[in-house]
């Protein structure tokens, strides 16, 4: 071995390093993968190279090649430091323009690791098949850093399992082939500041048949009604589908479990033989007969133990389950309340605590822990999807998890939840609606309900009965990274859009929840998440999200609580507290995290408002509470949180809550209340009778009918802020020059919470960009950066705005501003200097455009319109009129923020409620017409004629906007915005009177 500076003999080195496993005589020699001597650069695809990655800018580790005298091989080793809060690690990808490597002759992969004895697991991943290292199938295992100094870590290929939490391209064949390998990756520990050193990655050992051949069963759980016979299919599979060279035997016997042999089932034993030469895919069958008895019983398990010779055995022992029978809670004819009471009376403490626990699908692997911990719920966080990401794969995945719940004593079904916040946004090919801020701009409650109905239909068709939506936040500061999740800044507007709850759930009494096109909805985030003060967040680099909402009791009631009473009245099934803290002036408590505010959850929500559903925590939110983990658990449960979203900490949570109850610190009564609320919703959803996916509506996912609703929503969400010289609508015979970063980017127009949590630019689902839609309607040329010549065009359309983000990652000051990018500014300047121009702003919140407003003829707030760019083109070309109104105030500068309707000082660029129209000729008559409209509006108000009242206010608004034009002064803006608020609260006469004030002020 070479050394620099100090030459160490081979004998001395061998004495210093831990002994490696001796190589068998017939083993092939080790094959180097990485020596870390500089032969592999720090680079990324398509070149061969090592590169780092992480959940945010702080998470990727630092790497370097370091000369060390104690290097196990050569002169250098790979060293690095890390401090990871989300996830992070590094990858070695092989060159994509070269053939993949063949590792199939070897037993496994090994390397030297400089142990730090931190007790943390280090994940090691290999990349199998596919087009290249970043488009391959991922297989993973891990080792524990529980040693000090250099140790050779050996990872047999038989230890690697298919990754279920993330796959870059969807499942390729779910078989570790080893003949087309593209490299490896290391995921470093989270939550510990550390360093590492690694050397000499190589393939070792000789492959045996158990690596290439495996025995599987067609399921892990086989529920069967008493007296029925379970059929277990045992299949032999081989890598590359080659016949087995040596015989494979499978000895089986029924043994153990909770069922009694001879009473509940007939024991079976035997041996299955797959002779040498047996083809891959060959299946044998085992039958397990159960016996009928007359007693009512919970479910009973019959493990079928399999002993395999000559192949890799199944990952777990399959279980036959004799279904629970004869118990009252199983009787669908009984009232839900009686069914809940019966089931609750039978459950152990551990089973009850399991119902209060929600885990992330990626944390439970194939799902064995569902039964082990009696889990009540699973979820898919943003971007947590099956592979492939198709409706069928979602249904299959969730059915697989539901099957696991059948192995529990009472076979309580899971309730699976997703954040379908603007359509089934985790599913590729789903219909993606405009984000809520655009729905608020429509001012169309019936349309909001229809968008909810489409979402519910597509979500339920994939086997998911629960949606973490809608967000009922009242957004009071556009610097908030979640501003687009709000319907607007006015609680009256938010309340008017809560028709979406009926779209999701159906009738307020819950009678529709059992249908194949409805889901349980969630009102979030209780309460005040939209009112957090800028600079008050203590979460990482966030500036406003998860911060402190400081309000008087009156402000809390009028602004933030009002939408929740509406939601309760509409029968909302679940409520999610906010990460943020609430500081009610004068109550003496100071800022308190909402997950700890029993006065609000138990007192106001469940008590005063009469909420009868259950409260689900936000993702790991209890970890932000003060004290140790026992205090986190106790505080949240006692505050009224019924189910805890503890994605990867479900084992710790269940153990701790059981301990809290046993110690008397959490009462059994509180547990029973929480579990009763959860079970009630499961019964209402019909999950006990139909736990598995009803996919009859799957063909409607992304259908023309559903996309038509999204298209209408996109069209109605467009707000025409300025329209000088009648630039809009465009005419078919005009030559149109299109530019801007967001004209042809589906990812940008769908925004965050689309396919992944943060969303992404580019094309990641199916839809129509604004540019593609415009090309259907007119004579269009496109130059993204406006670098193409501008001469010879009649009008320009520049589509600019934001790139996707979600939550606090998108907070202004956390790498984001309200300014257009330099490229967007340049495109606007060039096009608008050359021709009449319309500027469309595709964004989750207002952008500061005042310095360019004079050069822009037409300005449109397009928000985040979703997958249906045709809706935007519809209003641009006059197929539909512009009718949208601002759901939030459009500021002149960031210094004005926060700025909202009703503020004492109010001088925005465009006031709340502003929105020009291309619908009809604006009514004439000036102030005289306004006075007549005021009289008629007051009469409509007295008669309860809401539709007529709104029409009258709209006419008055158009008269005012026509007179004001672009000269919006503070004296005009304040009464104009207040008029829209009054109209939303049904005070139509007063609304027109305010508009008269605005008219006179101009």
């Amino acid at each position: 071995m070479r050394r620099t500076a100090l030459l160490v003999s081979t004998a001395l080195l061998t004495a210093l390093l831990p002994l490696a496993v001796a190589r068998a005589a017939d083993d092939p020699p080790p094959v180097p993968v990485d020596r870390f001597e500089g032969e592999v650069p720090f680079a990324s695809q398509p070149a061969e190279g090592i590169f780092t990655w992480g959940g945010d800018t702080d998470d990727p580790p630092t790497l370097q090649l370091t000369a060390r005298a104690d290097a196990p091989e050569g002169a250098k080793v790979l060293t690095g430091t890390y401090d990871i809060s989300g996830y992070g690690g590094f990858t070695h990808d092989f060159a994509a323009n070269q053939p993949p490597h063949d590792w199939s002759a070897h037993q496994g992969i090994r390397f030297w690791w400089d142990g730090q004895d931190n007790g943390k697991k280090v994940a090691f991943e290999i990349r199998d098949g596919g087009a290249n290292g970043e488009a391959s199938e991922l297989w993973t295992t891990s080792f524990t850093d529980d040693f000090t100094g250099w140790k050779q870590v050996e990872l047999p290929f038989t230890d690697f399992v298919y990754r279920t939490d993330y796959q870059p391209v969807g499942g390729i064949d779910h078989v570790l082939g080893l003949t087309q390998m593209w490299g490896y990756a290391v995921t470093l520990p989270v939550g510990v500041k550390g360093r590492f050193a690694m050397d000499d990655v190589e393939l070792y050992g000789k492959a045996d048949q158990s690596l290439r051949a495996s025995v599987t069963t067609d399921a892990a759980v086989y529920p069967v009604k008493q007296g029925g016979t379970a059929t277990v299919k045992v299949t032999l599979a081989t890598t590359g589908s080659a016949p087995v060279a040596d015989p494979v035997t499978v000895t089986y016997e029924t043994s153990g479990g909770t069922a009694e042999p001879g009473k509940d089932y007939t024991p079976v034993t035997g041996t299955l033989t797959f002779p040498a030469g047996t083809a891959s895919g060959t299946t044998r069958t085992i039958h397990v007969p159960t016996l009928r008895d007359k007693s009512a019983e919970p479910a009973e398990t019959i493990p079928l133990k399999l002993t395999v010779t000559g192949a890799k055995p199944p990952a777990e022992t399959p279980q036959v389950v004799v279904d629970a029978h004869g118990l009252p809670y199983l009787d669908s004819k009984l009232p839900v309340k009686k069914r809940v009471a019966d089931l609750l009376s039978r459950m152990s403490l551990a089973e009850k605590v399991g119902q209060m626990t929600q885990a992330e699908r990626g944390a439970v692997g194939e799902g064995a822990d569902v039964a082990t911990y009696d889990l009540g719920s699973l979820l898919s966080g943003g971007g947590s999807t099956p592979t492939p990401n198709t409706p069928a794969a979602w249904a299959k995945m969730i059915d697989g998890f539901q099957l696991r719940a059948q192995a529990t004593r009472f076979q309580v079904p899971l309730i699976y939840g997703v954040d379908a916040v603007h359509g089934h946004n985790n599913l590729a090919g789903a219909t993606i609606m405009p984000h809520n801020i655009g729905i608020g701009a429509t001012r169309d409650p019936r349309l909001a309900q229809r968008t909810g109905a489409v979402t519910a239909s597509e979500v339920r068709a994939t086997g998911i009965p629960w949606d973490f939506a809608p967000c009922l936040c009242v957004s009071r500061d556009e610097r908030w990274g979640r501003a687009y999740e709000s319907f607007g800044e006015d609680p009256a507007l938010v309340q008017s859009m809560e028709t979406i709850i009926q779209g999701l759930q159906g009738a307020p009494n819950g009678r529709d929840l059992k249908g194949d096109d409805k889901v349980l909805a969630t009102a979030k985030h209780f309460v005040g998440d939209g009112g957090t003060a800028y600079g008050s967040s203590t979460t990482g680099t966030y500036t406003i999200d998860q911060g402190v909402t400081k309000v008087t009791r009156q402000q809390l009631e009028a602004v933030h609580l009002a939408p929740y009473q509406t939601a309760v009245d509409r029968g909302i099934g679940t409520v999610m507290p906010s990460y943020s803290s609430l500081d009610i002036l004068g109550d003496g408590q100071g800022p308190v995290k909402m997950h700890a505010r029993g006065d609000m959850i138990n007192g106001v929500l469940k008590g005063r408002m009469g909420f009868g559903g259950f409260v689900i925590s936000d993702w790991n939110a209890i970890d932000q509470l003060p004290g140790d983990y026992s205090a986190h658990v106790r505080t949240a449960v006692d505050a009224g949180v019924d189910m805890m979203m503890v994605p990867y900490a479900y084992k710790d949570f269940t153990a701790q809550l059981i301990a809290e109850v046993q110690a008397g610190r959490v009462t059994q009564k509180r547990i029973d209340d929480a579990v009763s609320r959860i079970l009630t919703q499961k019964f209402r959803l019909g999950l006990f009778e139909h736990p598995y996916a009803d996919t009859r509506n799957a063909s409607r996912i992304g259908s023309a009918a559903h996309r038509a609703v999204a298209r209408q929503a996109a069209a109605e969400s467009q707000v025409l802020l300025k329209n000088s010289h009648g630039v809009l609508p465009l005419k078919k015979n005009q030559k149109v020059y299109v530019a801007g970063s967001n004209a042809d980017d589906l990812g940008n127009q769908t925004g965050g919470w689309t396919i992944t949590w943060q969303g992404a630019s580019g094309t990641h689902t199916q839809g129509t960009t604004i540019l593609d839609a415009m090309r259907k309607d007119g004579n269009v040329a496109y130059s993204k950066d406006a670098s193409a010549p501008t001469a010879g065009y009649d009008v320009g359309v520049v589509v600019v705005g934001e790139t996707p983000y979600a939550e606090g990652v998108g907070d202004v000051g956390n790498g984001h501003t309200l300014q257009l990018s330099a490229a967007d500014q340049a495109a606007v300047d060039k096009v608008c200097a050359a021709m009449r121009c319309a500027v469309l702003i595709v964004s989750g919140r207002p952008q500061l455009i005042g310095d360019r407003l004079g050069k822009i003829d037409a300005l449109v707030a397009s928000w985040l319109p979703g997958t249906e760019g045709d809706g935007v083109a519809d209003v641009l070309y006059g197929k539909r009129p512009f009718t949208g109104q601002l759901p939030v105030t459009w500021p002149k500068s960031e210094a004005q923020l926060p700025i909202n309707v009703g503020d004492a000082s109010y001088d925005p660029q465009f006031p709340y409620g502003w929105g020009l129209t291309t619908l009809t000729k604006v009514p004439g008559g000036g102030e005289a017409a306004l006075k007549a409209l005021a009289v008629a509006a007051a009469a409509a108000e007295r008669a309860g004629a809401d539709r007529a009242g709104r029409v009258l206010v709209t006419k008055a608004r158009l008269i005012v906007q026509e007179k004001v034009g672009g000269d919006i002064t503070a004296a005009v803006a304040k009464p104009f915005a207040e008029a829209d608020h009054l109209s939303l609260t049904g005070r139509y006469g007063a609304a027109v009177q305010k508009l008269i004030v605005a008219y006179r002020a101009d």
Side-chain angles (χ1 to χ4, degrees), residues 226-249:
Q226 62 160 342
T229 297
T231 300
V232 180
K233 294 181 179 178
V234 180
T235 301
L236 175 68
T238 64
T239 299
S241 298
V244 289
D246 301 312
V248 174
T249 60

Side-chain angles (χ1 to χ4, degrees), residues 662-673:
Q662 290 174 338
R665 292 186 292 265
V666 172
T667 67
Q668 184 70 54
K669 181 180 179 181
R670 172 67 193 107
I671 299 298
D672 287 352
D673 172 60

Side-chain angles (χ1 to χ4, degrees), residues 824-847:
D824 278 348
Q825 291 178 22
V828 170
D829 291 344
K830 183 172 181 181
V831 175
C832 292
M835 65 193 84
R836 300 276 190 207
C837 73
V839 173
L840 276 61
I841 299 181
V842 173
S843 64
R845 52 199 168 192
Q847 302 292 283

Side-chain angles (χ1 to χ4, degrees), residues 188-274:
L188 294 162
V190 174
V192 57
K193 209 170 187 178
R195 60 183 178 85
F196 76 92
M198 183 181 187
D199 198 17
D200 191 25
V201 183
E202 65 181 15
L203 308 176
Y204 74 93
K206 178 184 177 182
D208 56 28
Q209 182 167 284
S210 65
L211 178 62
R212 294 191 172 211
S214 61
V215 168
T216 59
T217 57
D218 57 327
V221 178
Y222 297 84
V224 60
K225 295 186 184 301
Q226 62 160 342
T229 297
T231 300
V232 180
K233 294 181 179 178
V234 180
T235 301
L236 175 68
T238 64
T239 299
S241 298
V244 289
D246 301 312
V248 174
T249 60
V250 180
T251 301
Y252 61 88
E253 65 171 326
T254 49
S255 176
T258 58
E260 185 177 337
K263 177 188 173 189
D264 298 310
Y265 70 98
T266 302
V268 296
T269 59
T271 300
L272 306 176
T273 300
F274 299 89

Side-chain angles (χ1 to χ4, degrees), residues 65-214:
L65 299 177
T66 304
R68 282 182 44 168
D70 65 344
E73 191 279 334
K76 297 178 181 178
V77 301
L78 180 70
T79 62
T81 59
Y82 58 90
D83 185 5
I84 302 167
S85 58
Y87 62 89
F90 62 92
T91 294
H92 176 185
D93 273 351
F94 299 150
N97 60 0
Q98 298 293 320
H101 297 201
D102 186 346
W103 293 358
S104 62
H106 295 274
Q107 179 184 352
I109 189 167
R110 66 189 180 193
F111 48 87
W112 291 91
W113 188 266
D114 187 11
Q116 304 302 306
D117 199 19
N118 56 27
K120 296 288 186 178
K121 282 190 175 182
V122 181
F124 192 93
E125 172 186 284
I126 55 179
R127 301 173 168 227
D128 177 46
N132 55 59
E134 295 309 291
S136 57
E137 197 169 71
L138 309 183
W139 292 73
T140 186
T141 188
S142 66
F143 66 94
T144 302
D145 187 340
D146 56 1
F147 53 91
T148 302
W150 289 108
K151 176 182 177 182
Q152 192 171 42
V153 177
E154 293 195 342
L155 303 175
F157 291 132
T158 51
D159 287 354
F160 284 83
V161 296
Y162 177 83
R163 274 192 69 173
T164 58
D165 58 332
Y166 170 72
Q167 288 286 341
V169 293
I172 296 171
D173 59 9
H174 293 239
V175 174
L176 181 56
L178 296 171
T179 58
Q180 291 186 303
M181 303 304 296
W182 290 106
Y184 66 88
V186 175
T187 301
L188 294 162
V190 174
V192 57
K193 209 170 187 178
R195 60 183 178 85
F196 76 92
M198 183 181 187
D199 198 17
D200 191 25
V201 183
E202 65 181 15
L203 308 176
Y204 74 93
K206 178 184 177 182
D208 56 28
Q209 182 167 284
S210 65
L211 178 62
R212 294 191 172 211
S214 61

Side-chain angles (χ1 to χ4, degrees), residues 911-952:
Y912 169 77
W914 187 266
L916 306 177
T917 187
T918 53
L919 176 61
T920 59
K921 187 176 180 180
V922 174
E927 187 168 340
L930 287 172
K931 288 179 178 178
L933 288 169
V935 172
E941 181 180 335
R942 288 192 298 271
D946 290 329
R947 180 173 293 185
R950 287 192 293 268
V951 169
L952 293 165

Side-chain angles (χ1 to χ4, degrees), residues 440-564:
T442 71
R443 296 297 199 282
D444 190 341
R446 285 192 231 181
L447 180 58
Q449 182 168 339
R450 291 174 65 203
T451 65
V454 168
T455 298
S457 174
E458 297 198 1
V459 169
R460 195 69 183 255
T462 56
I464 300 167
W466 185 15
D467 184 3
F468 305 133
C471 186
L472 301 184
C473 49
V474 182
S475 176
R476 307 292 284 178
D477 192 329
E478 277 58 68
R479 291 170 292 189
W480 188 32
R482 302 192 84 138
Y484 63 77
E485 293 189 54
S486 171
F487 292 113
E489 70 186 33
D490 182 355
L493 175 57
V494 175
Q495 287 172 285
S496 73
M497 293 295 115
E498 290 186 57
T499 50
I500 196 171
I501 293 172
Q502 263 56 70
L504 293 166
Q505 289 195 169
N509 64 5
R511 68 171 182 264
D512 299 324
L513 285 172
K514 292 183 180 180
D516 60 3
D517 62 349
K518 295 300 174 197
V519 294
L520 198 67
T522 306
K524 65 184 189 183
H525 304 90
F526 186 82
V527 60
D529 53 334
T532 51
Y534 190 82
S536 66
S537 181
T538 56
T539 299
T541 55
Y542 295 5
T543 59
I544 188 167
D545 189 38
Q546 304 185 23
V548 179
T549 298
K550 196 170 187 176
V551 287
T552 65
R553 177 73 64 176
Q554 183 180 14
Q555 289 169 331
L556 176 66
E557 295 283 347
V559 177
H560 299 291
L561 272 172
Y564 287 92

